[in-house]
Amino acid sequence: MDIVYTIWLRNMKRYLRSKSRIVGSLGMPVFFLLVLGFGLNSVVSLPGMGQGYIGFIIPGIISMSVLFTSVFSGIQIIWDKQFGFLKETLVAPVSRLEIMLGQTFGGATTSVIQGIIILVLSLFIGLNITSIAGFLVAFVFMLLIGLSFTAFGIAIASKMEDMHGFQLIMNFVIFPIFGLSGALFPIDGLPSWLKSLTMLDPLTYGVEGIRYGLLGTSQINPFFSFVVLTGFTVFMVVLGAYLFRKINV
Amino acid sequence: MIAIQVENLTKRFNGLIAVDNISFSINSGEVFGLLGPNGAGKTTIIAMLSTMLKPTSGSASVNNFDILKNEDDVRKSIGIVFQDQSLDEELTAYENMDFHGRLYRIPKKVRQKKIIELLKLVELENKKNNLVKTFSGGMRRRLEIARGLLHEPKVLFLDEPTLGLDPQTRNRLWEYIEKLNKEKGITVILTTHYMEEADRLCDRMAIIDKGKIIALDTSEKLKEEIGGDVITIKSPERDRLYSKINTLSWVKHAEPHDNSVTISLQNAEKHVDEIVNLASGNGIAIDFISIHKPTLEDVFLHYTGRTIREEESGTKDQMRMMRRMGR
């Protein structure tokens, strides 16, 4: 565990030092929250939602923030590869699994912090947290999204040579995962083809879980969401660890 | 005591042979050089000995641990400074050292003490809380060497330690390396394509070309092999000059390359006028003539038929330097 902690600690130090990254990665979620939230609040009315459209998308935007930060944290391994630092870690008498887990926990921690910042900002535009238990539920789901998608980023980074493919991954993988997740629209009432895509998207279960925690309502049973997302997290961590083991520097 | 034993080590990349069936051994306490042009296979040898790369065939041991069977013990026994920088620029000098110490599971108290001790050794103690991105190339190199020593390795690998550094910094680094070797008895293996560096630092060296060891000995012995003196003559009619010179009885060995001819012989001072007369008698112009004792450069030329500089892809060096400066 001491090695996992060492890698985690480095991630934290780098994160806390890069103020521009913290602020920069808040930009898009806050923009979405304000523009979509206030822009569509008056025209969209959702049955059974007391807090309006803004209230509905807050969990979605929190997931977005966690998703983007975590994938990015995982992919950062490419930088370590290019700037040579990864060699220093790989030549040490430690297992690659420890390195990978340290990176995963580091990425998950930073992304959950980013998610919580959005959550706190949301308190100013109408979010009410009614119970500690609800917050904890949301927290657990944020953590699962963070862990699974950091591992996902590491898996991608292990296969990529440099950052050239980054845009491709962002536009064709990460945005679709976000867009199809039910972060911005309710799942019920979707055309069936779109609904099945949404149900295949692991992020959907994260969004729904956070929504249950913060708003007390969700369209998917929160226990079911928890099982699916936990399964996905375990799968991603195993896959990430497997691919990272084969990384060449 | 043998620090490193290499037997029939081979590495292929997609059918291309990078390291071709090499064998050698290094005694503990020795400074050993792997000398050769870029792309000769030096870095690949280091990568295999440091367990970063699996050999295609053959075996090797470092500090009596097999590089395939006892990976972790090998890793604990070695310190390594890679050819390209491997520091975290967003962390301070101290934090980079601390990270390394934790990775090698050095207890906190020992770690803290040793970090300060080593930073003092490389004269970076007063910069310990500065971010590495503010450091110059020489400071970064020194920090990397200090870091490589933190876990008290028996063997230190230095891959092109002074590449892209100015002459002053290079000299200072050489002094550190000598000091480390003498005071701590650490076995040092360094790769370089600077002849001067190998000459100054190494007890013994292996000249590597195209993945093979073509000569292995002390610098003196290698130079003696060539014998006597070396005369280098530049001429616009190189080939004609070469064929004339080759007929002279006291020429031990002559070789044309670039636009000059290199001759090894005894008592060059006595024969230089004969060469000049021979050339002018045949109407061959001479641009330049020099007499010197054999250098490692001549040794390399003798064994490979090329100068090490011909082989050097100068642009690669420059690119690496630019990358380093750009960071």
Side-chain angles (χ1 to χ4, degrees), chain B residues 229 231 265-274 291-293:
Chain B
D229 303 311
I231 298 181
L265 72 172
Q266 300 290 342
N267 304 323
E269 293 84 354
K270 268 166 68 183
H271 295 297
V272 68
D273 65 319
E274 291 177 50
I291 305 175
H292 57 269
K293 292 284 165 200

Side-chain angles (χ1 to χ4, degrees), chain A residues 2-3 5-7 9-10 13-14 17 82-85 87-94 98 249, chain B residues 50 52 75-76 80 82 85-88 90-91 95-96 99-100 102-105 131 147 323 327:
Chain A
D2 44 351
I3 301 303
Y5 171 74
T6 300
I7 312 269
L9 187 68
R10 168 184 178 243
K13 280 187 172 157
R14 285 180 66 106
R17 237 161 246 177
Q82 276 187 319
F83 288 115
F85 189 74
K87 274 190 195 166
E88 147 77 0
T89 322
L90 293 183
V91 82
V94 299
E98 289 171 301
V249 284
Chain B
S50 60
M52 295 291 280
R75 290 174 175 207
K76 277 176 207 154
I80 184 162
F82 297 102
Q85 187 202 302
S86 63
L87 296 163
D88 187 335
E90 303 291 329
L91 298 183
E95 285 167 340
N96 265 289
F99 179 81
H100 184 89
R102 286 169 186 267
L103 278 187
Y104 285 77
R105 297 185 170 92
L131 292 181
R147 185 180 67 179
R323 261 177 71 194
R327 278 173 196 166

Side-chain angles (χ1 to χ4, degrees), chain A residues 63-114:
Chain A
S63 315
M64 173 190 191
S65 180
V66 178
L67 170 75
F68 280 69
T69 315
S70 56
V71 172
F72 193 72
S73 303
I75 285 189
Q76 264 194 323
I77 290 221
I78 292 180
W79 262 295
D80 283 345
K81 193 148 85 172
Q82 276 187 319
F83 288 115
F85 189 74
L86 193 59
K87 274 190 195 166
E88 147 77 0
T89 322
L90 293 183
V91 82
V94 299
S95 75
R96 294 204 170 181
L97 181 65
E98 289 171 301
I99 300 170
M100 188 273 176
L101 288 179
Q103 192 70 25
T104 307
F105 288 129
T109 311
T110 53
S111 57
V112 169
I113 294 173
Q114 292 290 103

